[in-house]
Amino acid sequence: MSEARTPVGSTAPNGNGAARQTVTISFAGFNRAWAAWIGDRLERRGLRVVYLRWDAPPDQSLTDLLRDLTLAEGRTLIVVSEWYFQLGPRTHDEWNAALREVVGADPGRFAAVSVTNASVPSAVAALAPVDLTNMGADEAERRLTDRLDLPPGTRPDDDPARPAPRFPAAMPDVWGGVPRRNTRFTGREPLLNDAYHLLQGSEPGAGVLTLHGMSGVGKTQLAAEYVYRFGSEYDVVWWVNAEKRVSYRRLLAELAPKLGLSTGAEYGERLRAVRDALRRGTPYSRWLLVLDGADEPDQIWDLVPTGPGHVLITSRNPEWSEHNSKLLEVPVYGRDESVAFIRRRAPRLTEPDADQLAQALEDLPLLLDQTAGWLNDSDLSVEEYIALLDGGIDQDVVKVSADFPLAFQTAWSILLNKLRETVPESVDLLRLCTFFAPGFIPVRLLKDMSHDDLPEQLAGLLDDPLLWNKAVNQLRQYSVVRLESHEAMLDEVVASGESVYLHRMVHQIVHKDMPEADRKEFIEVVRRALAEADPGRPTDTRNWDAYAEIVPHLKYADVLRSKDRKVQGLVLNCLRYMLFAGEYTAGVNLGGRALRSWRALLGESHPRVWEVTYHYANLLRSAGRFQETEAIDRAAREQLRAERGEHDLDHLRMAGGLAADLRELGQYDDALELDQWLYPTYRELFGEHDSRTLNAQNNLGFTLRLLGRYDQARGFDTRTLEARRQLLKGRHPWTLFSEVSYAVDLRLLGRYAEAESIQAKNFREYRIVMGPDNQNTLRAEHNLALCKLRGGDRTAAGGLLTRVLEGLERKLGDTHTHTLAAAVSQSCFAREHGDIDQAREASESVLARYELLLPEGHPFIIGARANHALVLRSVGERDHAHVLIEQSLADMSAALGETHPYALGCAVNAAALRNLVGDTESAADLSQITILRATDTLGRTHPLTLTARVAYAADLRALRDRQQAEKVEQEALADLVATLGPQHVHTISARSRNRPYWDFEPQAS
C-alpha cells in the first residue's frame, strides 16, 4: 500500500540547511479559500507549499495538462470539486480517460481532498480523496495530514502574531448583506488576482479599490466572487448597497450591533460608532466592506471608512480615483470566457455556436446570461437568433430605446417578446419594477397593497399567487431579475418572491420605452403601494427601517407630481424621518425638490406648500445652513401674515422657525422681539398651559439666556418647569429638558451647589428615561460636568467632559452646535488642567469649525477666538494673544454690547493680557470699568464680577498702588467666602493671588 500512500518525499532546504518537504496544491480558482487554509496548515507544520491554480484551456490535451502536474515539486494535492472538472468545459468521459492514464500510472505522485458533495468523474477514485465536508476544522486537519502521511507527532505552529486563513466552512465572525454565490461564475482570474494584490499590498488606511466599468460587465458578480474566494482572510465581511446615500448610511449603521458597539437607535450615532471602530481596528482589524453600485462618489466619499481593513467598491464612475481609491477596470468578457460561460449557461450549444453568439452580443456578460438562458430553452438555433439580430425587429413587437447600442436594442426586444409570448404578466411585473429604484426592489409592497380599483391587466397578476410566482420565476429563469436580498437574514423572504434585484441597465432599457397608457397606470400603482407602506410615525425609531426602504424609490415613482393626499403625506413623513434620523443632506435635496414641484403643481399658497416649507426649513437649519433657512422662514412669514393674518397657525409656526434661525445666527435682539410677541400670542390663543404656549415660553427663556439676562431667563424657565411638572409626568422628556435649562440658569448666576444638586438628580433620571447616549442626556451630563468644574471637583468634571464630547461626536457629528459647545469646554479644561498642546489643537479645530458653520461676527466665533488667545498666552505667544483678545473684545462689544457677560469676560481677559505685555495703566482702567459694568449687569457678588475685582487688585499691584490693591483684594475675598465658601477653589486661588481668567461658554440650547 506504500505506493498508494507515499509520504511527501521531495524536499527543499530551509533557512538552516535542513530539508523541507514540499506539497503542490492544485485547485480551481473557485476553491481558493480551501487551498489557502490547507496550505497554511501545512506550512505551520514546516512544509513548503506551492500553489497552482488549475486551468484547462479547451485547445490543450487534458492528458497532457494532468501529466504536467507530475513535473511539480513533491506530491501534488488536488482539491476535488465539481469546479475542478468544469473548467474547459470537458465531459466526464474525457476526464475519466485522462485520470486513468495519468494518475493510474503513478498514483503515489498524487493525493486529494474532496470539498464537494456534487457528482464528479468516477475515475477520481484513483486519487483516493478524503472528504473534508460537513465537519469542523480539527477533524478536517486530521484527515488532511493522515492523507499526506505526515508524522502524527507534528503539530502546527499556531503563532498568534501570524494571522491564519479561516476554515472555509466557517463563516467570518460578522457577515452580512453578501449576495448568494454565483455558481455560474466564469473566468476573471487575472482580475481577481489583481484585486487581491492591490488590496493586500496597500498601506494601512489606504486599502480602497474600485472595480469600475460599464453597466452589465459583471462588477457586482466579480466583487461577490472576491468575497467568497478571499473572505476566509477577514473577520468581518459587510456588503452594502451604496447607490443612494440614505440606504448606504442605514446599511453601514446596521453593522454597529454586529460589532458589539453600544449605541442608540439613531443611524447617525451608529454610523459614527462603526466608522470609528473600523478606523481603530477594534474589535476587528481584518474587515472587508463592499460598497456596491457607488456610482456617485460625491454623495458618499466622506463616509467611506479608513483603517486597517479593506474597502471594495463597484462603480461605473472612475472618479473614485480622486477620493484615494485605486482603480481596476472591469472589461467585457474575453472571448474564451464568453464561450465557456455560454456553454455552462446553455449546455445544448456547441463551442462554435457559443463563439458566434458571443461575437453577436459583444461579449457583454449580462446580455450573454439573459440570452443564453432562454436560448437553452428555445427551439431557436443560434444562426436563427443572429439572423433576427442582423435583420432588426418588427415594428409590432416590444421595442427598447434607441439610446442603447444596436445589439442591446435587438436582443432585448427579442427577449421581451419571448416573455410576452410565454407569460405576458412577467412583462407587466418588469415594467412595474422600473418605477422603483434599480437594485433591490421590495415587490412585496405590491402584494401587500390594497388591490381595489387596480388596472385590469394588473389585477390578475397581483391577486393570483400562482400567476405572480410564475411571472417572477420566468424573469428569474432568463436572468432578468435575481431572487436575492442585500441582507442574508432575509433569505426566507427572498424565497417567497418578496424582493427582487433588477440591474440598473435592465431597469433603464425597460423603463425607457413603454406604452404611455401603461406608464400612467403603472406609476400610480407604485405610488399607491409606497403610500400604503407608510408606517405613519416618523418620530418612532422602530419605523425608521421602513422609511429608509421607501425613500430611495420616491424619485423613480415621481411622487412629487402626484396630487394624491396620501402620497403627499408620505413625502412629508419621509422628510420628518430624515430630520429625526439625521439624514440632513438627502432631506434637504428632497425638501427643495418637493417645494419647487408643489408650488408649480398646487399653487404658491396651498396648505401643503406651507407644510413642506416648514419641514424643509427644519432640515436646512439642522444641516447648519442657517442663512438659507432664515431667508425662507422670513419670506414665508411675511407672505402668510399678509394672506392670513398674524394669528394663523402656519404663520405662528414660521415665526417660531424664524426666531430659531435668528438665535442660530447670533441675532439675539431680533429673536427676542419675535419671542416676546409669540409667547403672549400663543397664551392668548391657546391658554397658559397649552404645549405650544409652553414651548414659546421655553424659547423666550433661552433667548434671554443668550442675551446674558440670566435672572430673567431663570424666571421664565422656572414657570415652564413648574407647568410641565404639573401637566406632564416628572420624568417626561419635556419636563427633564426644562429642568436642565433651570439648572443652567442657576449655574450661570453663580449658584453652583444648588445647580449641581438639581442637575445630578436630573441626569440620573435622564439616563433612566432616555438612556445614557441620548443627545438630551448628554446635554444634561455636559451641564453636570460644568457644575462640578465650577464647584471645584476637577477630576469628576474632566471625566464627564471627555465622555460627553465623545458621545456627542458619535451622536451628532463634529460640526453640530451641541458638539462644538462640548468641544469648547474640553479645550478650556485641557488648557488649565491637561496637555497644552492638545488644548491648542482642540482650540484651533473648534475655531475652524465655527468659522465654517457660522457667519463672520457671530458671538460664538468671537468667543472661540477669545479662548484661543488664552491658549496662545499659555504657550508663550503673548503678543499674538494680546492682539487676538483685543480684537475679540471689540467684536464682542459691537455684536452684543459692552455690558453683555460675554463682552465683560473678554474684558477680564484683555486686561490680563495688557498687564502681561506691560500696559499696566490701561489694564487697570479696563478692569475698573469692567467691575462697574458687571456689578450693574450681574450684581456685586456674581462670580464674573468677583473675577474682575480680583483681577483689578492684581492690576493695582502692578501699578504699585499696594494700599488700594489690598483693600480691593480683601473686599473681594470676603465676598468670595460669603458667596462660594472659604475652601472653594476660586477663593483659594484668589487668596494665593493667582490671576483669574474667564472661559467663553457657548449656549447651544
Side-chain angles (χ1 to χ4, degrees):
M1 298 297 293
S2 61
E3 294 167 358
R5 300 296 300 274
T6 303
V8 180
S10 180
T11 60
N14 63 17
N16 300 319
R20 294 178 65 198
Q21 298 172 328
T22 300
V23 173
T24 297
I25 302 177
S26 177
F27 62 97
F30 192 84
N31 301 121
R32 190 260 177 203
W34 277 105
W37 179 79
I38 292 168
D40 176 77
R41 303 323 292 166
L42 297 179
E43 286 176 342
R44 289 176 187 267
R45 292 174 180 270
L47 278 70
R48 178 172 177 267
V49 175
V50 177
Y51 297 92
L52 192 62
R53 183 176 56 79
W54 172 252
D55 197 7
D59 58 346
Q60 295 187 35
S61 162
L62 191 54
T63 301
D64 290 343
L65 290 169
L66 278 176
R67 192 171 284 118
D68 287 345
L69 290 179
T70 64
L71 303 176
E73 274 193 89
R75 205 163 176 190
T76 297
L77 177 69
I78 294 178
V79 180
V80 172
S81 77
E82 66 273 27
W83 283 90
Y84 198 89
F85 305 105
Q86 286 176 356
L87 294 171
R90 316 282 185 145
T91 66
H92 278 201
D93 288 342
E94 291 178 275
W95 268 105
N96 287 331
L99 287 167
R100 291 178 186 124
E101 181 175 344
V102 178
V103 179
D106 189 8
R109 293 286 287 115
F110 295 90
V113 294
S114 174
V115 296
T116 183
N117 293 315
S119 172
V120 295
S122 58
V124 167
L127 295 168
V130 293
D131 184 18
L132 302 188
T133 62
N134 301 317
M135 66 189 63
D138 291 343
E139 175 61 16
E141 185 172 357
R142 186 194 69 74
R143 292 191 182 194
L144 168 68
T145 55
D146 182 59
R147 179 64 183 88
L148 292 174
D149 294 299
L150 294 176
T154 60
R155 295 299 303 158
D157 175 23
D158 288 321
D159 180 3
R162 174 185 170 188
R166 180 176 290 95
F167 182 56
M171 297 287 285
D173 292 357
V174 178
W175 172 277
V178 181
R180 291 188 181 92
R181 194 169 193 176
N182 181 0
T183 55
R184 293 194 293 265
F185 186 87
T186 301
R188 303 301 204 186
E189 297 295 342
L191 284 173
L192 287 165
N193 289 332
D194 287 348
Y196 178 77
H197 291 300
L198 284 169
L199 285 174
Q200 294 295 330
S202 58
E203 295 293 325
V208 182
L209 174 65
T210 299
L211 305 175
H212 74 99
M214 64 182 287
S215 285
V217 294
K219 301 181 292 295
T220 297
Q221 294 300 324
L222 183 64
E225 183 61 21
Y226 180 93
V227 167
Y228 284 101
R229 290 211 187 174
F230 303 109
S232 62
E233 299 188 19
Y234 298 97
D235 298 316
V236 175
V237 177
W238 199 252
W239 184 293
V240 299
N241 174 6
E243 292 182 6
K244 299 292 181 184
R245 185 180 177 94
V246 171
S247 9
Y248 170 72
R249 291 181 80 245
R250 176 177 68 95
L251 294 170
L252 186 56
E254 288 175 2
L255 181 54
K258 303 294 184 182
L259 296 178
L261 305 179
S262 176
T263 67
E266 294 89 341
Y267 295 143
E269 178 187 359
R270 288 187 171 191
L271 182 65
R272 281 181 281 272
V274 166
R275 293 178 63 204
D276 185 57
L278 297 180
R279 177 183 58 79
R280 291 185 286 106
T282 55
Y284 300 101
S285 61
R286 300 195 308 172
W287 51 264
L288 173 65
L289 177 67
V290 183
L291 312 185
D292 187 32
D295 293 330
E296 300 181 32
D298 291 341
Q299 290 292 311
I300 66 166
W301 72 269
D302 58 315
L303 298 178
V304 175
T306 59
H310 297 151
V311 179
L312 185 62
I313 300 169
T314 70
S315 178
R316 293 177 297 164
N317 195 335
E319 291 179 8
W320 274 106
S321 62
E322 299 174 10
H323 300 289
N324 301 316
S325 173
K326 300 181 180 71
L327 295 182
L328 184 61
E329 184 174 5
V330 182
V332 298
Y333 269 152
R335 183 55 50 82
D336 58 334
E337 292 176 318
S338 295
V339 170
F341 176 77
I342 291 170
R343 293 195 66 197
R344 183 171 295 158
R345 187 74 173 92
R348 80 174 182 86
L349 301 184
T350 65
E351 189 170 323
D353 286 340
D355 186 79
Q356 280 186 286
L357 185 62
Q359 181 175 354
L361 298 179
E362 304 177 16
D363 296 297
L364 185 71
L366 178 65
L367 209 50
L368 293 177
D369 188 18
Q370 292 160 346
T371 304
W374 78 262
L375 267 180
N376 191 56
D377 299 332
S378 170
D379 295 332
L380 202 66
S381 69
V382 170
E383 289 80 3
E384 290 170 328
Y385 178 77
I386 292 176
L388 282 176
L389 287 177
D390 292 340
I393 50 175
D394 195 343
Q395 293 300 310
D396 294 331
V397 298
V398 179
K399 295 182 292 183
V400 298
S401 171
D403 294 345
F404 294 91
L406 181 60
F408 294 4
Q409 298 174 49
T410 314
W412 260 96
S413 296
I414 295 170
L415 178 56
L416 288 174
N417 279 286
K418 175 73 173 179
L419 290 169
R420 176 67 75 188
E421 291 169 7
T422 53
V423 184
E425 292 80 7
S426 64
V427 176
D428 292 334
L429 176 58
L430 184 59
R431 286 174 168 166
L432 270 174
C433 287
T434 68
F435 294 103
F436 293 91
F440 293 97
I441 296 175
V443 291
R444 71 178 186 284
L445 301 186
L446 296 170
K447 295 172 65 178
D448 293 345
M449 68 182 290
S450 167
H451 294 172
D452 296 338
D453 303 321
L454 283 175
E456 185 177 349
Q457 68 189 100
L458 296 179
L461 172 66
L462 298 180
D463 284 333
D464 186 343
L466 293 177
L467 188 56
W468 171 274
N469 289 333
K470 187 176 180 182
V472 170
N473 288 332
Q474 188 76 1
L475 294 174
R476 182 175 61 87
Q477 181 181 349
Y478 294 155
S479 299
V480 178
V481 300
R482 293 203 313 266
L483 284 184
E484 63 180 1
S485 172
H486 61 278
E487 297 183 44
M489 68 286 294
L490 292 184
D491 282 350
E492 67 277 6
V493 173
V494 174
S496 64
E498 296 190 0
S499 178
V500 300
Y501 183 91
L502 184 63
H503 193 281
R504 178 181 294 274
M505 190 177 76
V506 178
H507 187 282
Q508 287 178 320
I509 289 173
V510 176
H511 187 79
K512 196 76 175 180
D513 289 292
M514 71 173 73
E516 192 59 31
D518 283 359
R519 184 182 301 278
K520 289 179 179 178
E521 288 187 337
F522 289 9
I523 197 171
E524 287 300 329
V525 170
V526 173
R527 288 171 178 172
R528 278 179 52 192
L530 292 172
E532 290 184 27
D534 182 357
R537 293 188 63 189
T539 56
D540 189 338
T541 58
R542 293 170 297 183
N543 292 331
W544 286 4
D545 283 347
Y547 280 111
E549 182 180 46
I550 289 170
V551 164
H553 305 295
L554 300 180
K555 172 185 173 183
Y556 292 87
D558 205 9
V559 294
L560 300 182
R561 293 180 182 270
S562 174
K563 292 187 176 182
D564 187 312
R565 287 187 58 81
K566 289 184 178 179
V567 175
Q568 292 171 358
L570 169 67
V571 173
L572 295 172
N573 279 340
C574 286
L575 289 172
R576 294 181 68 208
Y577 149 73
M578 291 171 163
L579 175 67
F580 291 113
E583 304 282 359
Y584 302 140
T585 302
V588 165
N589 290 337
L590 176 61
R593 288 189 291 112
L595 183 57
R596 291 189 295 273
S597 296
W598 287 1
R599 278 175 174 167
L601 183 71
L602 305 173
E604 292 280 344
S605 297
H606 193 280
R608 287 293 199 193
V609 170
W610 296 123
E611 199 165 356
V612 77
T613 301
Y614 175 73
H615 294 309
Y616 178 49
N618 285 340
L619 282 157
L620 278 171
R621 189 182 304 112
S622 297
R625 294 163 63 173
F626 305 128
Q627 290 168 302
E628 294 174 68
T629 313
E630 189 267 345
I632 290 171
D633 282 336
R634 186 179 296 279
R637 185 205 174 199
E638 290 173 358
Q639 184 175 345
L640 282 165
R641 181 168 55 184
E643 292 180 359
R644 300 186 186 177
E646 287 192 334
H647 289 177
D648 175 75
L649 291 182
D650 283 332
H651 168 258
L652 292 172
R653 189 162 64 165
M654 287 300 176
L658 178 58
D661 302 330
L662 295 170
R663 283 193 292 271
E664 296 287 3
L665 291 168
Q667 299 174 30
Y668 303 144
D669 288 326
D670 292 340
L672 179 64
E673 183 180 349
L674 263 179
D675 285 328
Q676 287 179 327
W677 174 78
L678 279 166
Y679 168 56
T681 302
Y682 273 116
R683 184 176 56 192
E684 179 184 340
L685 288 174
F686 304 110
E688 189 75 45
H689 292 151
D690 185 85
S691 62
R692 289 163 289 193
T693 304
L694 293 177
N695 288 340
Q697 184 172 252
N698 172 83
N699 294 338
L700 177 55
F702 180 35
T703 304
L704 288 167
R705 192 186 318 138
L706 288 167
L707 283 164
R709 292 153 65 170
Y710 302 142
D711 201 44
Q712 285 181 273
R714 182 189 58 81
F716 280 100
D717 287 337
T718 301
R719 289 197 291 275
T720 305
L721 175 59
E722 290 172 349
R724 284 177 170 171
R725 281 175 174 168
Q726 180 181 348
L727 296 170
L728 307 169
K729 292 183 295 185
R731 287 184 172 178
H732 190 282
W734 286 1
T735 307
L736 294 173
F737 187 92
S738 288
E739 205 165 47
V740 177
S741 299
Y742 176 61
V744 170
D745 295 332
L746 292 176
R747 177 174 56 78
L748 292 175
L749 286 167
R751 295 160 62 175
Y752 298 146
E754 190 179 352
E756 182 178 341
S757 174
I758 292 170
Q759 189 56 75
K761 171 182 172 293
N762 170 270
F763 174 55
R764 289 193 299 271
E765 292 179 343
Y766 248 125
R767 287 176 66 92
I768 294 169
V769 175
M770 306 296 288
D773 299 314
N774 180 272
Q775 65 194 60
N776 286 319
T777 306
L778 293 168
R779 170 181 178 252
E781 191 173 9
H782 184 200
N783 190 47
L784 178 61
L786 294 177
C787 287
K788 288 185 176 294
L789 182 62
R790 301 292 178 253
D793 190 350
R794 292 168 177 169
T795 302
L800 289 172
L801 287 173
T802 298
R803 200 196 101 75
V804 167
L805 180 57
E806 290 175 351
L808 287 171
E809 284 178 339
R810 185 170 65 242
K811 190 80 169 179
L812 303 175
D814 59 5
T815 59
H816 195 282
T817 52
H818 288 191
T819 308
L820 286 169
V824 167
S825 299
Q826 178 70 20
S827 172
C828 292
F829 184 86
R831 185 193 74 232
E832 293 301 315
H833 311 294
D835 184 336
I836 189 61
D837 292 329
Q838 177 190 352
R840 180 172 190 166
E841 181 180 349
S843 177
E844 289 171 346
S845 173
V846 166
L847 184 54
R849 282 178 277 168
Y850 268 138
E851 288 173 343
L852 282 174
L853 182 67
L854 302 172
E856 183 58 38
H858 193 288
F860 288 6
I861 295 177
I862 301 167
R865 288 172 181 160
N867 281 348
H868 192 59
L870 296 184
V871 174
L872 296 175
R873 172 197 64 86
S874 297
V875 298
E877 298 182 25
R878 296 180 179 181
D879 291 338
H880 186 184
H882 179 223
V883 170
L884 189 58
I885 193 61
E886 292 288 357
Q887 186 62 54
S888 299
L889 173 59
D891 291 344
M892 194 70 84
S893 298
L896 299 176
E898 294 176 331
T899 60
H900 191 286
Y902 287 172
L904 296 172
C906 287
V908 167
N909 293 349
L913 267 296
R914 291 180 187 182
N915 193 317
L916 197 62
V917 298
D919 191 358
T920 52
E921 288 190 11
S922 176
D925 291 343
L926 181 57
S927 290
Q928 188 174 29
I929 191 66
T930 302
I931 292 171
L932 294 173
R933 290 169 176 165
T935 301
D936 186 56
T937 301
L938 300 168
R940 175 182 172 80
T941 59
H942 187 277
L944 183 54
T945 309
L946 290 169
T947 295
R949 290 165 62 187
V950 172
Y952 182 45
D955 292 330
L956 290 171
R957 279 194 298 272
L959 291 172
R960 302 187 183 279
D961 188 349
R962 293 186 176 86
Q963 184 176 356
Q964 183 63 18
E966 183 72 17
K967 179 178 181 296
V968 170
E969 182 178 73
Q970 289 305 313
E971 290 176 351
L973 281 170
D975 284 342
L976 276 168
V977 170
T979 303
L980 300 178
Q983 298 304 313
H984 191 277
V985 289
H986 293 346
T987 307
I988 295 170
S989 180
R991 194 178 292 125
S992 302
R993 291 185 173 174
N994 295 318
R995 182 164 190 141
Y997 292 89
W998 168 80
D999 289 337
F1000 165 71
E1001 177 198 326
Q1003 294 298 315
S1005 66

